[in-house]
Amino acid sequence: MWVDRLAREIGALGQAETATPERALDRMSAAAAREVPGCSAAIVVIWHDIAPGDDRSDESERVAGRHVVVDYGASHSDLATAFEYQYTTDEGPTVEAVREMRPVTVGDVLREERWPSYTSMAVQCGDRSSVTFPCKLEGEVVTFGVHAGRADAFDGDAVTPLMALLAEHAAVALHSAGRYTDVAREAAHMRRAMSVRAVIDQAKGIVMHARGCDADEAFAELRRVAQRNRMKVADVARSLVAEHAENSGR
């Protein structure tokens, strides 16, 4: 059965001598997109729950009570863009799965009322239906999500328990690859993730001021520039903020 084959493949990623968390995340998402019936893209995300006084983050008090991305791997760049939008706006199936710590199934995003601002972005990125499952491991959370470009691609009752199995295998494999034992590296990734969120918000503000548009339109413009130049949205945002600072004489 495909789930057994995929579980073995995911488990093996954590045992390889050359395994790194980053490589494991990329390969897990690619394997899921290839093996799960109906799936056109997949994403695996590692999260850390910031608590007040958490000494692994200089900004722990400001973001206490929310999950911060440590790292992620997406099998397709459009799904990565959609996830970055979710993370920036705190709306969408992946952030809801980790926030509520329960599976989140989307039959058709066009029928959804839970995340109004996410609908347009999801459609643009070809994300019509999905199943996302969260799994806890040693103070961290791993979310494993499969996505499809067509509506009702997954049978939630059948796929959700299988996703639970895959999420557990992914968490164990990432543990074996060293993510959860490397505290310093984890802290660096958390700071980077929070920095990404901040710089995207700054860039959106610059675009909104320059064009007189709203936040969604500003993010859409950043995304268009990123796609046109084969860059990540975060990299486009950093470049815009740096250019704006230079032009402002700061």
Side-chain angles (χ1 to χ4, degrees):
M1 186 179 181
W2 65 265
V3 69
D4 296 323
R5 182 172 60 252
L6 183 53
R8 287 194 299 271
E9 185 174 349
I10 289 173
L13 291 174
Q15 303 299 324
E17 292 183 3
T18 58
T20 64
E22 294 85 354
R23 182 176 299 177
L25 285 166
D26 289 338
R27 291 186 176 180
M28 285 176 192
S29 60
R34 182 176 62 250
E35 298 287 350
V36 178
C39 180
S40 56
I43 185 167
V44 185
V45 187
I46 304 173
W47 306 78
H48 179 74
D49 187 8
I50 299 295
D54 189 331
D55 60 8
R56 286 182 288 180
S57 169
D58 294 336
E59 303 182 42
S60 63
E61 296 297 332
R62 183 174 67 81
V63 298
R66 73 178 299 270
H67 287 85
V68 176
V69 172
V70 177
D71 211 343
Y72 74 90
S75 66
H76 194 283
S77 60
D78 279 350
L79 186 56
T81 298
F83 173 67
E84 289 179 359
Y85 184 83
Q86 287 189 62
Y87 190 57
T88 301
T89 61
D90 202 32
E91 280 194 20
T94 308
V95 295
E96 180 154 321
V98 71
R99 182 170 54 236
E100 303 293 334
M101 281 307 300
R102 60 175 178 80
V104 174
T105 300
V106 178
D108 185 354
V109 73
L110 293 179
R111 299 195 300 263
E112 281 292 341
E113 298 181 351
R114 288 175 285 184
W115 320 292
S117 68
Y118 179 65
T119 300
S120 177
M121 176 58 62
V123 172
Q124 290 178 51
C125 293
D127 183 13
R128 287 288 298 275
S129 59
S130 62
V131 177
T132 305
F133 195 93
C135 180
K136 289 185 176 181
L137 181 67
E138 298 188 11
E140 312 294 339
V141 178
V142 174
T143 53
F144 200 112
V146 291
H147 298 252
R150 62 183 179 87
D152 302 312
F154 308 105
D155 180 345
D157 292 337
V159 173
T160 298
L162 300 179
M163 292 304 299
L165 172 65
L166 295 176
E168 290 178 3
H169 276 73
V172 172
L174 289 166
H175 181 278
S176 299
R179 166 59 63 191
Y180 299 99
T181 58
D182 192 345
V183 176
R185 192 177 187 186
E186 178 184 2
H189 277 290
M190 285 192 293
R191 285 193 294 272
R192 185 182 69 183
M194 286 185 282
S195 175
V196 166
R197 182 185 177 99
V199 79
I200 289 176
D201 284 342
Q202 283 182 268
K204 284 165 59 180
I206 293 169
V207 175
M208 290 165 66
H209 178 75
R211 300 201 171 190
C213 61
D214 62 21
D216 287 346
E217 292 171 329
F219 186 90
E221 178 60 23
L222 293 174
R223 176 176 173 267
R224 282 193 291 271
V225 174
Q227 288 183 324
R228 188 165 58 244
N229 294 279
R230 298 179 180 273
M231 298 170 64
K232 291 183 178 179
V233 172
D235 292 335
V236 171
R238 289 191 190 95
S239 178
L240 177 59
V241 169
E243 181 181 346
H244 180 74
E246 182 178 346
N247 292 338
S248 300
R250 293 195 297 269

